[in-house]
Amino acid sequence: MMISVLSSEDREEIFNTMTDFQIDVIMNHVMYRVKSELLTASFWKGIHWELLGVNYDRLYRKKLNQRKYRPSLYCECGRSLKYQYVVKSKETGEILELGKECFTQRTGIPERIAEEIYNSRNKINIFQDEILNAYKFRERFPIELYNEIHLNKVDDKWSPYYNRKILDFKKANLPLFHRDQDKLENDLIEYKVRKRQLKRLLGMNFKAEYTENYVYLIKYMENRILNDRKLNQGERKKLIQDLYKISKAVNESISTDFANLSIDRRKLITVEYIDPFNDKLKGFDLSYKEALSESRNIARRIMDYASGKKIEKNTKIKQVTNKQVNTNNTSNVKLDYGLNSIIKTTKKHPCGNDEWEIIRMGADIKIKCTKCNRIIMLSRRNFNKRLKQVVK
Ligand SMILES: [Zn+2]
Ligand SMILES: [Zn+2]
């Protein structure tokens, strides 16, 4: 992929053909991308400041006689700025809005790291030029691709932020960043492959119905079942059929019951039962059988609740929730592990094994089951919660 960087005149010329809304969408998402790349950089470790934001005044001109607009960004020292860095002291909570010149002096952040932070300003142009170039060459929002995705509910799996972002671009009729365009295309291909797989497995009459508003059985279990080599074709078929049947029944049942409950009650049930259950599904913590039967339990309990019966204490689900709280409390125990360590988890993998090898360390940790070689990814927090013992 070639990135041609535009001159600031080219850039303004293209911006001039756009609506204010289009420009807002580009700037918001460009800055969001720049900020999130900066925030995940490794150099923040040990720094006593946190970055709250990077701001950019697109219309800023250094020379007074070229200024058409009043500057909008300033440094603590009074100087007007094109790029402004907002940082907050982790010790005192003090917030400073600074330009490059005062940055190191006021924060004590080493020059070398400050340099990396300033370099992010190059990304602003790279990211916005990606869109501007495409726009100049008459590319617009990929509406047909999006419609197919939306029609098949492939976007149900997107995060709320991602969904909002794509809808912003749609509303502004702007071409997407390359990587978003790629993601949309890949998501659709993946969906089609899955659908073909399901049709082959279940016969041509099968209609994949995906209405999981509460409990995400299909979302988290379907791929696991389809790719589980230990299942024979008959077992796989049976599981997928159960999965769709139970997902539909459970979600429809909860939906009906929720209609009779106040918003507060719904929230309570969601936080106490549904969210923890979905977390466990997502973390591959449950065997197929457990997942299906627990989801039915949840639906039944909600039904009892909605029809006026009290939820009994010490139910199976409740116990699981309590246990999670307990492991939370002990998660401060420090255990020495690193890349390629063999560790034991509190819960067994559905294959029956509880020993894993750490194959990636980072903000997320990847572990590989030493028996069946399945790889799962956990946030560090979840990993620590599940860690029972470091074997070697
Ligand atoms: Zn200054
Ligand atoms: Zn395994």
Side-chain angles (χ1 to χ4, degrees):
M1 177 186 64
M2 212 189 68
I3 299 166
S4 70
V5 175
L6 299 165
S7 71
S8 49
E9 288 79 27
D10 292 341
R11 219 167 270 141
E12 277 321 302
E13 210 171 284
I14 303 169
F15 272 130
N16 280 335
T17 68
M18 292 180 161
T19 65
D20 287 349
F21 179 68
Q22 286 179 314
I23 297 172
D24 275 353
V25 168
I26 295 177
M27 292 322 299
N28 285 343
H29 292 287
V30 162
M31 293 315 286
Y32 183 89
R33 212 177 140 181
V34 169
K35 263 177 248 178
S36 46
E37 282 198 7
L38 253 183
L39 288 174
T40 51
S42 57
F43 55 71
W44 290 103
K45 237 175 247 159
I47 299 281
H48 296 294
W49 293 85
E50 87 184 274
L51 183 75
L52 295 185
V54 182
N55 297 316
Y56 164 62
D57 181 356
R58 188 172 64 81
L59 302 168
Y60 181 79
R61 295 289 173 272
K62 204 164 195 173
K63 293 202 181 104
L64 275 173
N65 59 7
Q66 288 179 1
R67 269 187 205 165
K68 287 188 227 154
Y69 304 92
R70 198 183 284 269
S72 58
L73 303 172
Y74 290 88
C75 178
E76 298 289 331
C77 70
R79 201 194 311 245
S80 62
L81 300 170
K82 181 162 187 164
Y83 302 97
Q84 183 194 57
Y85 306 90
V86 185
V87 287
K88 180 178 170 188
S89 166
K90 286 182 192 167
E91 278 145 13
T92 64
E94 184 188 16
I95 293 174
L96 294 175
E97 300 177 336
L98 299 168
K100 187 176 192 289
E101 279 75 13
C102 298
F103 193 77
T104 296
Q105 183 211 333
R106 291 293 299 270
T107 61
I109 293 176
E111 195 66 52
R112 171 184 60 82
I113 291 170
E115 204 56 51
E116 295 211 46
I117 298 171
Y118 313 142
N119 282 342
S120 65
R121 71 190 186 283
N122 303 325
K123 292 280 181 68
I124 298 175
N125 284 338
I126 292 173
F127 293 159
Q128 68 182 1
D129 287 358
E130 222 181 281
I131 311 265
L132 293 180
N133 259 322
Y135 190 84
K136 188 171 96 178
F137 291 108
R138 300 276 179 275
E139 279 181 44
R140 295 297 183 265
F141 184 78
I143 188 69
E144 282 176 22
L145 174 63
Y146 176 81
N147 283 343
E148 200 177 350
I149 281 177
H150 188 61
L151 190 73
N152 291 302
K153 299 188 179 176
V154 178
D155 49 353
D156 276 7
K157 297 189 177 188
W158 293 347
S159 73
Y161 167 74
Y162 197 80
N163 206 14
R164 232 176 10 253
K165 168 176 164 177
I166 299 300
L167 288 176
D168 276 354
F169 277 81
K170 176 173 178 266
K171 195 171 164 201
N173 194 17
L174 286 168
L176 295 169
F177 291 116
H178 300 309
R179 65 169 191 183
D180 291 329
Q181 177 80 27
D182 288 349
K183 178 180 159 53
L184 262 59
E185 285 168 11
N186 285 335
D187 281 4
L188 188 62
I189 290 170
E190 223 172 74
Y191 165 78
K192 285 181 175 170
V193 168
R194 228 184 66 225
K195 206 166 120 186
R196 259 205 308 278
Q197 238 175 327
L198 283 171
K199 275 203 169 155
R200 210 179 307 132
L201 187 67
L202 302 170
M204 292 313 280
N205 294 329
F206 176 74
K207 231 180 105 217
E209 234 181 307
Y210 186 83
T211 45
E212 302 195 297
N213 300 319
Y214 305 97
V215 166
Y216 301 129
L217 283 171
I218 297 172
K219 178 173 175 176
Y220 294 132
M221 287 184 56
E222 187 178 78
N223 266 326
R224 230 176 106 191
I225 296 171
L226 287 176
N227 298 317
D228 188 338
R229 298 224 175 111
K230 287 196 309 306
L231 296 171
N232 67 39
Q233 202 68 346
E235 292 167 329
R236 185 172 296 136
K237 185 172 169 179
K238 176 78 174 50
L239 273 171
I240 292 284
Q241 281 169 336
D242 286 352
L243 187 68
Y244 272 84
K245 209 167 65 197
I246 292 169
S247 164
K248 188 162 185 268
V250 163
N251 280 290
E252 282 180 1
S253 155
I254 296 176
S255 171
T256 311
D257 294 334
F258 266 27
N260 298 320
L261 294 171
S262 71
I263 291 177
D264 283 348
R265 289 265 175 253
R266 281 182 237 171
K267 261 192 203 153
L268 188 80
I269 291 172
T270 306
V271 172
E272 286 236 334
Y273 299 99
I274 300 177
D275 288 350
F277 179 68
N278 281 327
D279 280 348
K280 287 201 286 175
L281 282 176
K282 193 178 180 182
F284 285 172
D285 273 2
L286 296 167
S287 70
Y288 304 134
K289 227 176 111 189
E290 282 172 328
L292 295 176
S293 74
E294 267 202 44
S295 68
R296 270 191 293 219
N297 275 341
I298 288 179
R300 213 188 49 230
R301 278 180 207 296
I302 294 172
M303 201 191 291
D304 287 351
Y305 198 66
S307 62
K309 279 189 221 161
K310 269 196 188 148
I311 298 187
E312 325 135 40
K313 296 270 175 204
N314 298 324
T315 60
K316 194 179 169 202
I317 309 164
K318 199 72 192 167
Q319 278 169 1
V320 175
T321 330
N322 286 338
K323 209 174 93 197
Q324 278 181 342
V325 174
N326 287 339
T327 35
N328 261 345
N329 294 340
T330 56
S331 69
N332 287 334
V333 179
K334 254 214 173 143
L335 292 159
D336 201 21
Y337 58 81
L339 196 63
N340 301 121
S341 289
I342 303 289
I343 56 110
K344 272 185 200 270
T345 47
T346 49
K347 267 239 167 185
K348 279 196 175 125
H349 197 225
C351 75
N353 180 37
D354 66 349
E355 286 199 358
W356 304 77
E357 183 189 351
I358 299 179
I359 58 168
R360 203 195 95 166
M361 295 270 295
D364 291 317
I365 294 185
K366 265 191 189 166
I367 55 177
K368 190 170 81 177
C369 175
T370 55
K371 187 174 159 203
C372 72
N373 286 336
R374 182 177 285 283
I375 293 169
I376 68 175
M377 189 151 88
L378 297 164
S379 68
R380 204 170 265 259
R381 198 173 141 261
N382 274 334
F383 175 83
N384 284 329
K385 236 196 277 181
R386 277 166 206 170
L387 180 62
K388 190 165 90 184
Q389 187 194 339
V390 180
V391 180
K392 62 177 179 194

